[in-house]
């Protein structure tokens, strides 16, 4: 039997939404367990996200340092953002985020990996792209606000980010998963073996 996650849905006999926010909400489901008992499960409903490991010609990754209030930390991260529209093409969203957060464009895009960030309490799905062939984007810089107005931008060697992740110095999910996945790809079959940028994404279906 192949080692592969498989879709499955247990019966829900009651559901409600006790909280709705600007981008996410909280859902409460009464889920029927295999033995017939019913358990309450609360979880965050999330539109989904994209993130970008942008690798330059010197094997440096573009990273941003941003304050994250829920964890009371300023974290080093890779460019990332929400899927703003249901069914939005994730590649287009990733290209938008790279432009808005770093004013950078890329010639070569591939899917690096797909993850559920916290499947025990949130249905967020993230597609992490690898972007190469970087150059500065044309036009005016995107005007940022709130926490993004205080962001720092840097290009850090891939190996240094891997060391930081393994040492417990870097904690952002997308950064850690992204740089470790890229390192594994480079040590294995190479980035040419990665999925194309428009590969299907069952967690967040989209139109090409």
């Amino acid at each position: 039997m192949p080692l592969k996650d498989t879709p499955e849905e247990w019966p829900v006999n009651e559901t409600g939404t006790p909280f709705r926010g600007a981008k996410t909400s909280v859902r409460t489901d009464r889920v029927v367990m295999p033995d017939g008992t019913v358990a309450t499960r609360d979880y965050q409903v999330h539109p989904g996200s994209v993130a970008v490991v942008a690798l330059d010609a010197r094997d440096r990754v573009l990273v941003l340092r941003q304050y994250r209030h829920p964890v009371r930390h300023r974290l080093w991260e890779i460019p990332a953002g929400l899927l703003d529209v249901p069914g939005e093409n994730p590649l287009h969203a990733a290209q938008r985020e790279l432009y808005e957060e770093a004013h950078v464009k890329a010639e070569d895009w591939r899917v690096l990996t797909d993850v559920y960030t916290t499947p025990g309490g949130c249905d967020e799905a993230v597609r992490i792209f690898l972007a190469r062939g970087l150059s500065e984007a044309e036009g005016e810089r995107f005007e940022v606000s709130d926490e993004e107005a205080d962001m720092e931008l840097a290009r850090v060697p891939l190996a240094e980010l891997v060391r930081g992740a393994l040492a417990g110095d870097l904690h952002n999910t997308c950064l850690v998963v992204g740089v470790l996945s890229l390192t594994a790809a480079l040590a294995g079959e190479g980035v040419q073996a990665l999925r194309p940028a428009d590969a299907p994404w069952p967690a967040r279906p989209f139109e090409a």
Side-chain angles (χ1 to χ4, degrees):
M1 183 175 180
L3 189 66
K4 183 177 181 179
D5 296 334
T6 55
E8 186 171 339
E9 188 168 352
W10 292 1
V12 174
N13 62 18
E14 185 180 345
T15 188
T17 306
F19 171 79
R20 293 183 186 275
K23 297 291 186 180
T24 67
S25 60
V26 173
R27 183 173 297 161
T28 298
D29 287 345
R30 298 269 292 165
V31 186
V32 180
M33 300 288 114
D35 63 0
T37 60
V38 177
T40 300
R41 294 290 179 264
D42 302 313
Y43 59 99
Q44 183 185 23
V45 178
H46 194 285
S49 306
V50 292
V52 185
V53 176
L55 186 71
D56 70 15
R58 295 168 57 187
D59 287 336
R60 299 177 303 174
V61 176
L62 194 155
V63 291
L64 309 158
R65 191 167 181 244
Q66 182 174 350
Y67 175 67
R68 293 301 188 182
H69 185 71
V71 295
R72 281 20 175 217
H73 269 70
R74 191 182 290 268
L75 300 178
W76 284 105
E77 307 180 350
I78 56 177
L82 299 175
L83 294 170
D84 291 335
V85 181
E88 181 178 15
N89 187 306
L91 174 60
H92 299 166
Q95 291 170 332
R96 179 186 67 235
E97 293 300 330
L98 187 60
Y99 162 73
E100 291 181 356
E101 295 190 351
H103 200 66
V104 166
K105 63 181 181 179
E107 294 298 322
D108 184 74
W109 290 82
R110 298 174 190 275
V111 174
L112 192 51
T113 190
D114 299 324
V115 294
Y116 290 117
T117 54
T118 49
C122 179
D123 71 351
E124 181 184 15
V126 181
R127 168 156 282 188
I128 304 176
F129 289 90
L130 171 64
R132 298 183 301 163
L134 308 184
S135 61
E136 185 172 357
E138 297 89 359
E140 297 293 326
R141 284 187 173 272
F142 182 78
E143 185 174 345
V144 296
S145 60
D146 301 325
E147 292 93 341
E148 292 184 351
D150 193 43
M151 285 193 309
E152 300 174 48
L153 178 65
R155 297 194 183 204
V156 179
L158 175 62
E160 184 176 334
L161 294 174
V162 170
R163 285 194 296 271
L166 296 179
D169 295 330
L170 301 173
H171 304 87
N172 177 262
T173 301
C174 293
L175 183 148
V176 172
V177 172
V179 300
L180 294 179
S181 296
L182 176 55
T183 301
L186 292 171
E189 298 180 15
V191 298
Q192 301 301 325
L194 293 173
R195 287 172 291 164
D198 60 354
W201 189 18
R204 292 294 185 273
F206 64 92
E207 294 185 7

